[in-house]
Amino acid sequence: MTFKKAVAALASIAFSATVGIANAAYPEKPITMYVPFAAGGPTDTVARSVAAVMSKSLGQQVNIENVGGAGGTIGVQRALTSPPDGYSLLLMHIGISTAPSLYRALKYDVNKDLEPIGLITEVPMTLIAKKDFPAKDLKELISYVKTHKDKVSYANAGIGSASHLCGMLFMSAIETDLLTVPYKGTAPAMTDILGGQVDIMCDQTTNTTSQIKGEKVKAYAVTSKVRVPSLSNLPTMDEAGLKGFSIGVWHGLWAPKGTPKAVTEKVNQALQDALKDKDVVERFASLGTVPEPLSRQTPEALRTQLASEIAKWGPIIKRAGVYAD
Ligand code: ASP
């Protein structure tokens, strides 16, 4: 071995030892969990529920940073361009798998820039309207929007959000395009539904349950294949007349590519702790959802989920002819 090579070899041993020690000590400071939608919305609610327990497990605060806009793509980009040191995490949903088909100039590559940590929960959606919307069930809603399509507005969280995806499926199922109004998340969209400025929206039960129960909005159906126990009076879309209509908003946790495995393993353990926590399970149940089973709270399951969802939504989006620049 030449002198130069020996020095290089020693340096690399020293470097991995330092990284090893750093990983063993992780986390030594607060962690940022990026949520690509507005505070107080459905994704934020899931994130804050798990982050509270993860903070205890990791012994450091997991802070939520909401970076909304462009259907979540701005926040995803922010997370994925953060240093891959375990202090930046990303909690995102199904939209991460649809953005590559919807956005022509996405600045990140979901196949290359992500380090999967685990699946969290699949949340049903609900089709709702402002309180005085003139339709009492889904059949009436469909016939009303078909005859008043230029007057009915549909709120969403931008192209690529779950509310956009659900709306896209709904509009193509009823063969009617509606005026869409984009927000940075469905929390501000809900404010406008409550205020009567927009008419209808499809949004996760983690955001709509309390408004539905408090009769602040009209609710027509849930988008899951079976009824949701906490909203058992609501029919499924299929039962209410739109045969075969279903969508579930799966959520996952990622780190930027290159985050050390020892770190993602610790984060995964903390996520699993959160998903078996009694308060989290109870809160999820009251909001219409359940944690993913343990076997799916893993990097492998999330990797597989992402790949199969990209393959699933690509052709559907292409057929719908929807895209953004
Ligand atoms: N999940 C988004 C939010 O938290 C909304 C959406 O995807 O439609 O606001």
Side-chain angles (χ1 to χ4, degrees):
M1 193 186 277
T2 64
F3 178 69
K4 239 180 165 178
K5 274 192 181 157
V7 171
L10 275 175
S12 112
I13 291 166
F15 177 72
S16 27
T18 319
V19 170
I21 290 163
N23 291 345
Y26 171 86
E28 294 177 296
K29 57 176 186 179
I31 297 163
T32 299
M33 184 185 279
Y34 287 97
V35 171
F37 298 102
T43 313
D44 184 69
T45 297
V46 169
R48 283 177 203 269
S49 303
V50 295
V53 181
M54 289 178 70
S55 301
K56 285 191 215 140
S57 287
L58 290 165
Q60 286 288 349
Q61 195 60 34
V62 179
N63 296 316
I64 304 297
E65 190 160 332
N66 301 91
V67 182
T73 56
I74 295 173
V76 171
Q77 187 182 341
R78 172 82 72 82
L80 298 186
T81 49
S82 299
D85 54 9
Y87 293 98
S88 297
L89 303 172
L90 167 69
L91 192 147
M92 182 45 177
H93 62 33
I94 190 169
I96 199 151
S97 66
T98 56
S101 307
L102 288 164
Y103 283 82
R104 288 179 165 167
L106 212 55
K107 293 200 184 71
Y108 52 87
D109 183 342
V110 294
N111 295 308
K112 290 195 186 131
D113 300 339
L114 294 161
E115 212 69 76
I117 292 172
L119 278 156
I120 301 170
T121 177
E122 181 164 321
V123 182
M125 302 188 86
T126 43
L127 187 61
I128 60 163
K130 64 182 183 184
K131 201 175 167 174
D132 60 358
F133 195 73
K136 69 172 184 323
D137 57 25
L138 186 65
K139 288 211 168 100
E140 275 189 28
L141 174 88
I142 294 170
S143 86
Y144 185 87
V145 299
K146 274 175 161 296
T147 44
H148 298 80
K149 69 178 191 137
D150 296 330
K151 291 205 190 87
V152 178
S153 53
Y154 178 88
N156 71 21
I159 294 186
S161 63
S163 42
H164 164 257
L165 196 57
C166 182
M168 188 184 88
L169 296 179
F170 178 64
M171 289 176 215
S172 90
I174 66 168
E175 294 172 347
T176 307
D177 278 334
L178 300 175
L179 168 75
T180 53
V181 186
Y183 293 82
K184 283 194 172 170
T186 47
M190 179 64 91
T191 305
D192 278 5
I193 290 265
L194 296 174
Q197 287 93 341
V198 273
D199 297 314
I200 60 174
M201 171 164 78
C202 181
D203 193 22
Q204 286 105 290
T205 53
T206 39
N207 198 34
T208 58
T209 300
S210 63
Q211 311 298 357
I212 294 172
K213 288 194 163 166
E215 296 181 7
K216 303 265 170 37
V217 297
K218 276 203 173 122
Y220 297 99
V222 290
T223 65
S224 39
K225 291 200 173 102
V226 294
R227 289 189 184 210
V228 175
S230 53
L231 292 168
S232 56
N233 290 340
L234 268 189
T236 64
M237 292 285 257
D238 186 278
E239 287 170 342
L242 276 187
K243 292 290 157 219
F245 189 109
S246 83
I247 176 171
V249 185
W250 56 272
H251 294 64
L253 187 65
W254 289 268
K257 189 76 186 176
T259 304
K261 191 153 186 261
V263 167
T264 55
E265 279 171 356
K266 273 197 185 169
V267 177
N268 176 264
Q269 188 52 58
L271 176 66
Q272 295 191 357
D273 290 344
L275 294 179
K276 62 171 185 276
D277 181 84
K278 193 169 148 281
D279 292 345
V280 171
V281 173
E282 276 174 19
R283 180 150 165 72
F284 275 15
S286 72
L287 295 174
T289 192
V290 289
E292 290 280 359
L294 187 59
S295 62
R296 286 175 56 78
Q297 299 167 14
T298 60
E300 299 70 38
L302 180 52
R303 190 175 289 116
T304 308
Q305 175 83 359
L306 179 59
S308 71
E309 289 281 288
I310 291 172
K312 170 181 163 180
W313 290 107
I316 298 173
I317 291 165
K318 206 166 177 194
R319 265 199 309 279
V322 182
Y323 64 86
D325 289 313

